[in-house]
Amino acid sequence: MIKTFFGTGTLDTSAAFLAALIIGVFFGVALERAGFGSSRKLTGVFYFEDMAVIKVMFSALITAMLGLAYFQALGFIGPDELYFMPTIYGAQIMGGLIFGVGFVMGGWCPGTAAVGLASGKLDALIFLGGAILGSIGFNELFPVVRPLYTWGSRGVVFIYQTLNLSQGSFALIFTLIAVACFWGVEFLEGQRGKATPKGYGKFLTSVSVGLVVLAMGFTLLPGTPLPSGGRASGEESILAQVEGGRDHFEPEELADRLMRGEPNLLVVDIRPPGEYQSFHILGAVNIPLSKMPKELAPYKNRGVIVLYSNGMTHPAQARDSLYRQGYGNVYLLTDGLKGFMERCLKPVSLRSEPLSPEVAARVRAWRAYFIQAAQVPAAAAMVAPPSDQLPEPLPGLVDPPWLARHLGQPWLKIIDLRSQPEYNSIHIPGSLRLDVESLRGLVNGVPSMLLPPALLAGQFSLLGIHPTDLLVFVSGGKFHDGTLAGMACERLGHRRYAILQGGMGAWLAAKQPLDARLPRVVPSRYPVSSKDDFTVDYQRVLKAMQEKTTIILDVRPADYYHGKKTDEARAGHIPVAINRPYTEDLVKAEQQVRLKPVKELAGAYEKTISSRDTPVIVHCRTGHQASQTFFVLKRLLGYKNVYYYDAGWTEWAARLELPVAPMMNK
Amino acid sequence: MKSENYMNPYLAGIFLGLVLLASFLILGAGLGASGGLARIGAALEAAVAPQHTQASAYFGSWGPNYLSYYLVFMLLGIFLGGLVSALTAKRLHLTVERGQASDIKLRMVYALIGGLLVGFASRLAQGCTSGQALTGGAMLLSGSLAFMVSLFASGYAVAKFFRGQWHD
């Protein structure tokens, strides 16, 4: 593994300065040899007279891109060893537009002007003087420019993420575009009668082939890991502010961010443990000064670290020390804990200055969160959601924007049902993982049955779920994981649950915040009660089959229904059962599995089921797929009498006395 | 004394790409030039008005040792490398580069205003052709590529207005 100066936080040492100087020398030689010590040659690109800028710049870019990609993909260098600049669209697009005008006018850019000066060009000297003055002008105008400087801040974003491509395929496309450009500009120059030295065409051909082969080879390698915290938004805008000298964090902002439960925010109380225990800002961790370098190391230049003590002196000293150790993400809480108490937690009634209703409401919200929660943790954990914030109807579906708006609410529990490695590598901030298989087990000799209420309540308790919480289930590729977890809620009578439409795929596509850290969970005691009046056994199904007033829906794939395939004792289906594969209710697009729009689903089921009062029994093989049809019919379409034959085809096929269609003659 | 020919542009490009790659692997950061210039600007401003500079919102966060920054040394390296290369290729001539039929004052005014714009824009975008377009482009960063596209778009859009300095 390569360790870089940046990665080890030693970019400000004399060794790094020497390395930068040497790299600069090679950079200067490369620019000079390419002919970039001439402003005429540089600006030639804008008049289609000399396209060297395109040729040199893109061959350099592609070479370095492929080189870096290979080094990363082969594991020689980790993502945290590299400084990835944040994307700030507004500032970078505006900057680019102004830069282009300056480049054409001045004939230089900063690096080439330095080489131009070394070649004796006096216009380069003037240009450099102008650029230095321009930088000073920026500093003077910074208070005015600041909004633009952070406008459109997106954090570290890679173009292939923005375009929803894999790194390898984007790199290949980019390489092909560059090579096409090379041949295009050569053709253009040829038209203008520019002579080329002998062997020039051959060299270009081998460069083109070499780069394309390298790019194709890269597509065969696994993608490179992303920088930690790099995909989360929010903290980069503050990092940009620190560059602008804002190393203070205002108490109001800290309070809001803590209440929102923002990921990547580490609040450190640097007072002695005794003082910390008697009172601290909810969510803060206690790290005494002496232990700080060791304990903060994992957060170095990742996310935002806010230090506080009673006053400002100690945190400022700690910050300076950390800054010298290469931390660029350390902030001080303005006026310390005193300021926080005074500005956020002082009751409205005790304040001498008049407060607007909005500010008074914020103060009450902060007090409710930080004081009540600190004193009565159990009560805080059982905050009921305000009714106007709940999605309609419940149980139902929510979309990523809704969920993103409510991240961090104490009454919201996000439950991620994907596989453990998927969850462990990245998940919705604060979400908890649950394996839906832990909700099922052997009951009455039938495998894969939804567990009895007491065991389900036990699982809910481990997740720290309270009966008032809103649960949002997030699935990966199987939408019916969410509905199976929903069946557990139904059995316990927990009606406040919703399923994220499109699952994790939709969340990723919406570019919402992500986190890799595990949440803190305080186990609860979920009360045991059964509200299950919907699960039916085979006798009830048999009766329904004979009476023919109940519709039996077999939601397995058609091949299983028709007996062409089976994983069970017998093949086929329950006589009179109608096949409506659960997949018919889904649309798959772009790594997302979504339920079809409610209108479409309503239309489809109206054809089979005459009225909303008609009794319907849904079943599949194990109860997994049928849970989805149950959810669709009962919760989305409002069918009143929907029943769930959980044991399903597993049991029916194994009870040889039960009839099966079609009759198989062996 | 005849100057040497320039290097084959693709060979020069690959060479430059390998220098950039070395910078990634050694420094952990890419190439940059405008950062060094801005540091020099901050040091100059501090020499004239130390307290004002220290209190300013942008340069203030860099102080008080404005020049102890790796990009300042890289800029120095670029100059030295350029000097060695220009000397050995016999390309060091004291001159103002312009079209033969163009006014020298016009060229100088354009160079100054262009420099002002580039200096300002580099701070706004947090980098220039080296630090954003080339380095960020090789890292495939969305913002850096947006910078590069914007740069060429506006360059081509206004190029004809400034052609006067290159009339032969």
Side-chain angles (χ1 to χ4, degrees):
Chain A
M1 276 294 264
I2 295 172
K3 294 275 167 217
T4 64
F5 283 108
F6 171 77
T8 51
T10 49
L11 205 48
D12 56 349
T13 57
S14 34
F17 293 165
L18 182 65
L21 183 82
I22 296 168
I23 289 167
V25 168
F26 282 101
F27 185 18
V29 170
L31 290 175
E32 207 285 333
R33 291 283 148 163
F36 292 172
S38 159
S39 49
R40 178 130 216 195
K41 195 167 170 63
L42 285 165
T43 44
V45 70
F46 292 108
Y47 303 109
F48 301 102
E49 283 174 355
D50 187 332
M51 305 309 280
V53 169
I54 299 279
K55 301 178 199 173
V56 176
M57 187 157 176
F58 282 94
S59 49
L61 198 158
I62 299 296
T63 303
M65 170 190 82
L66 291 174
L68 184 63
Y70 269 96
F71 269 85
Q72 284 196 276
L74 296 174
F76 294 140
I77 186 164
D80 295 336
E81 296 297 321
L82 291 163
Y83 172 59
F84 293 99
M85 286 91 69
T87 285
I88 307 162
Y89 282 119
Q92 284 158 343
I93 289 172
M94 275 306 294
L97 293 175
I98 301 171
F99 194 106
V101 177
F103 193 5
V104 169
M105 270 186 97
W108 301 103
C109 61
T112 53
V115 173
L117 179 64
S119 310
K121 307 289 165 61
L122 294 173
D123 47 320
L125 181 65
I126 300 290
F127 177 90
L128 287 171
I132 289 172
L133 284 175
S135 311
I136 295 174
F138 181 82
N139 179 48
E140 293 305 311
L141 291 173
F142 188 69
V144 188
V145 184
R146 182 178 279 161
L148 181 58
Y149 186 67
T150 52
W151 184 39
S153 172
R154 293 284 187 283
V156 175
V157 198
F158 296 94
I159 185 75
Y160 49 89
Q161 293 178 310
T162 310
L163 301 176
N164 236 336
L165 291 168
S166 74
Q167 187 190 6
S169 40
F170 181 81
L172 180 59
I173 293 168
F174 203 17
T175 308
L176 290 172
I177 291 173
V179 167
C181 275
F182 297 157
W183 289 91
V185 296
E186 291 303 338
F187 176 76
L188 206 71
E189 287 183 348
Q191 293 268 301
R192 295 185 170 235
K194 202 175 172 210
T196 50
K198 221 179 146 200
Y200 186 86
K202 239 183 217 167
F203 186 75
L204 175 57
T205 310
S206 27
V207 168
S208 308
V209 171
L211 292 178
V212 171
V213 166
L214 278 173
M216 285 166 74
F218 179 66
T219 58
L220 303 176
L221 295 175
T224 62
L226 295 167
S228 50
R231 296 170 77 181
S233 60
E235 82 272 15
E236 288 82 8
S237 60
I238 321 163
L239 283 174
Q241 285 169 349
V242 114
E243 206 177 345
R246 286 192 56 190
D247 61 345
H248 281 49
F249 225 89
E250 299 306 312
E252 293 85 357
E253 191 181 352
L254 183 73
D256 285 340
R257 283 170 178 255
L258 278 171
M259 273 179 69
R260 281 203 296 269
E262 276 196 17
N264 302 327
L265 173 65
L266 180 73
V267 183
V268 182
D269 187 325
I270 65 168
R271 298 173 305 155
E275 286 184 49
Y276 172 83
Q277 271 152 23
S278 65
F279 182 81
H280 61 264
I281 298 176
L282 182 72
V285 296
N286 186 217
I287 306 177
L289 282 171
S290 57
K291 293 192 180 149
M292 207 163 271
K294 199 177 152 204
E295 303 227 353
L296 283 185
Y299 303 97
K300 186 174 186 175
N301 297 327
R302 285 183 202 176
V304 170
I305 304 172
V306 181
L307 306 180
Y308 79 85
S309 177
N310 292 317
M312 289 285 279
T313 320
H314 284 126
Q317 287 166 344
R319 195 200 83 96
D320 288 350
S321 161
L322 290 168
Y323 190 76
R324 280 193 294 274
Q325 294 170 45
Y327 285 78
N329 58 334
V330 182
Y331 297 77
L332 308 178
L333 176 61
T334 304
D335 300 331
L337 187 56
K338 276 183 202 154
F340 192 83
M341 305 292 279
E342 189 69 21
R343 285 164 62 176
C344 296
L345 301 188
K346 190 173 174 182
V348 177
S349 56
L350 295 181
R351 298 199 181 211
S352 48
E353 74 281 10
L355 297 184
S356 69
E358 294 80 40
V359 177
R362 273 176 90 193
V363 169
R364 276 191 282 272
W366 290 328
R367 285 181 55 79
Y369 182 78
F370 289 100
I371 300 180
Q372 308 301 332
Q375 287 166 356
V376 204
M382 273 181 38
V383 183
S387 53
D388 58 329
Q389 299 221 22
L390 286 172
E392 282 286 335
L394 275 181
L397 294 168
V398 293
D399 54 15
W402 184 93
L403 190 56
R405 273 202 307 282
H406 294 86
L407 277 186
Q409 293 291 352
W411 43 263
L412 174 70
K413 297 265 189 307
I414 305 167
I415 313 230
D416 191 327
L417 305 170
R418 295 174 305 149
S419 77
Q420 196 206 49
E422 286 174 304
Y423 171 85
N424 292 0
S425 40
I426 202 80
H427 50 249
I428 299 173
S431 61
L432 317 164
R433 193 189 100 83
L434 175 73
D435 188 339
V436 283
E437 288 310 322
S438 66
L439 303 174
R440 310 206 286 176
L442 186 95
V443 176
N444 295 331
V446 182
S448 293
M449 296 282 282
L450 192 64
L451 292 174
L455 292 174
L456 293 178
Q459 294 286 1
F460 277 37
S461 301
L462 284 175
L463 293 165
I465 295 171
H466 295 276
T468 51
D469 287 343
L470 174 73
L471 310 183
V472 173
F473 295 114
V474 181
S475 56
K478 286 182 173 176
F479 191 89
H480 52 295
D481 280 346
T483 54
L484 182 62
M487 294 311 291
C489 292
E490 298 275 356
R491 179 162 285 179
L492 290 169
H494 192 114
R495 296 284 290 272
R496 279 189 181 143
Y497 77 89
I499 295 169
L500 181 64
Q501 174 67 295
M504 195 63 183
W507 184 264
L508 291 172
K511 305 239 175 346
Q512 298 290 2
L514 292 165
D515 196 3
R517 283 179 292 179
L518 300 179
R520 241 175 268 168
V521 172
V522 182
S524 62
R525 273 194 200 168
Y526 198 93
V528 179
S529 64
S530 178
K531 299 282 158 49
D532 188 343
D533 53 6
F534 51 83
T535 302
V536 293
D537 56 15
Y538 75 92
Q539 284 142 327
R540 170 82 174 77
V541 180
L542 189 63
K543 208 169 143 222
M545 191 190 97
Q546 288 152 354
E547 286 172 358
K548 297 186 179 165
T549 49
T550 302
I551 290 180
I552 303 174
L553 280 188
D554 183 337
V555 310
R556 295 175 300 155
D559 278 356
Y560 287 89
Y561 175 83
H562 292 299
K564 289 177 192 157
K565 285 185 185 173
T566 184
D567 300 326
E568 298 298 338
R570 290 183 291 172
H573 57 84
I574 301 172
V576 316
I578 301 168
N579 187 214
R580 164 79 189 176
Y582 75 105
T583 46
E584 302 275 298
D585 300 344
L586 297 171
V587 270
K588 289 188 187 178
E590 298 285 319
Q591 323 198 342
Q592 280 186 45
V593 185
R594 303 173 66 87
L595 270 186
K596 284 182 180 167
V598 171
K599 249 190 187 163
E600 209 176 305
L601 293 171
Y605 282 100
E606 269 159 17
K607 284 181 205 149
T608 353
I609 311 169
S610 51
S611 100
R612 293 281 195 272
D613 297 314
T614 310
V616 185
I617 295 174
V618 293
H619 86 89
C620 58
R621 187 172 72 88
T622 66
H624 199 168
Q625 299 163 349
S627 69
Q628 183 188 297
T629 312
F630 181 91
F631 177 80
V632 167
L633 289 176
K634 184 146 185 178
R635 296 309 178 193
L636 295 186
L637 303 182
Y639 284 86
K640 293 193 185 75
N641 301 307
V642 187
Y643 300 98
Y644 176 59
Y645 178 36
D646 186 9
W649 188 250
T650 299
E651 183 188 48
W652 194 275
R655 285 188 170 270
L656 300 177
E657 72 273 23
L658 296 173
V660 165
M663 292 300 289
M664 291 285 176
N665 298 317
K666 282 199 180 165
Chain B
M1 199 171 71
K2 196 182 174 299
S3 304
E4 275 181 26
N5 283 332
Y6 294 126
M7 194 187 268
N8 176 310
Y10 301 106
L11 185 60
I14 291 169
F15 175 36
L16 179 54
L18 292 176
V19 174
L20 174 55
L21 181 60
S23 186
F24 284 141
L25 300 180
I26 296 167
L27 298 177
L31 303 172
S34 63
L37 277 182
R39 294 277 170 162
I40 294 172
L44 289 176
E45 194 181 0
V48 179
Q51 275 161 2
H52 169 76
T53 311
Q54 191 61 61
S56 64
Y58 187 71
F59 285 167
S61 64
W62 293 350
N65 302 316
Y66 298 96
L67 296 180
S68 80
Y69 190 61
Y70 75 104
L71 285 178
V72 175
F73 291 84
M74 190 178 286
L75 184 63
L76 184 65
I78 297 170
F79 177 79
L80 293 177
L83 191 64
V84 170
S85 177
L87 276 172
T88 51
K90 305 190 190 71
R91 274 196 286 263
L92 175 53
H93 312 290
L94 217 53
T95 170
V96 173
E97 216 180 357
R98 66 184 200 282
Q100 283 161 10
S102 303
D103 183 11
I104 193 163
K105 269 188 242 155
L106 180 77
R107 171 72 192 119
M108 289 306 221
V109 170
Y110 278 173
L112 181 67
I113 299 175
L116 284 167
L117 292 175
V118 162
F120 182 89
S122 304
R123 287 308 88 213
L124 179 60
Q126 301 189 35
C128 58
T129 21
S130 317
Q132 281 294 354
L134 184 59
T135 298
M139 288 176 145
L140 299 179
L141 297 168
S142 300
S144 307
L145 290 161
F147 173 82
M148 182 157 71
V149 170
S150 314
L151 182 169
F152 278 107
S154 82
Y156 277 105
V158 302
K160 64 168 188 270
F161 303 116
F162 305 110
R163 197 160 190 177
Q165 55 186 335
W166 307 116
H167 284 322
D168 287 320

